[in-house]
Amino acid sequence: TLGSHKKPTWEELETQLVDMQAKYDNLEYSRTRAKEYPDIGDQLDYIFHHGVEKWKEDMIIPVKNKYPKE
């Protein structure tokens, strides 16, 4: 039941907060990439006209190289 759970200590909460912040910070590259990629409709149109390999080469890889996973 909900009432049977032990309340966390302040230290446990602080540790959890530090862990969560680190995970959030480690995904900064992902959030930045998402803002930089073209609109999904534009990407699909590009794939239709140029193919998947050209799409990756022209639209995806440059953004990934600009904001690498650390």
Side-chain angles (χ1 to χ4, degrees):
T1 65
L2 185 59
S4 66
H5 292 287
K6 178 185 150 210
K7 286 186 179 182
T9 65
W10 278 112
E11 292 80 18
E12 291 169 333
L13 290 172
E14 288 173 342
T15 298
Q16 184 67 25
L17 179 59
V18 168
D19 290 345
M20 291 171 63
Q21 185 66 53
K23 288 176 184 175
Y24 178 83
D25 292 346
N26 287 336
L27 291 174
E28 178 66 27
Y29 76 92
S30 179
R31 291 186 299 278
T32 305
R33 283 181 185 178
K35 293 175 194 171
E36 189 103 6
Y37 288 130
D39 175 76
I40 190 66
D42 293 338
Q43 290 186 51
L44 291 172
D45 187 60
Y46 200 88
I47 291 169
F48 179 79
H49 290 289
H50 303 283
V52 172
E53 290 305 314
K54 189 76 171 139
W55 162 75
K56 284 194 263 184
E57 181 182 317
D58 293 348
M59 292 186 151
I60 302 305
I61 293 172
V63 175
K64 286 187 173 204
N65 289 340
K66 187 175 179 181
Y67 304 104
K69 250 185 189 181
E70 294 182 21

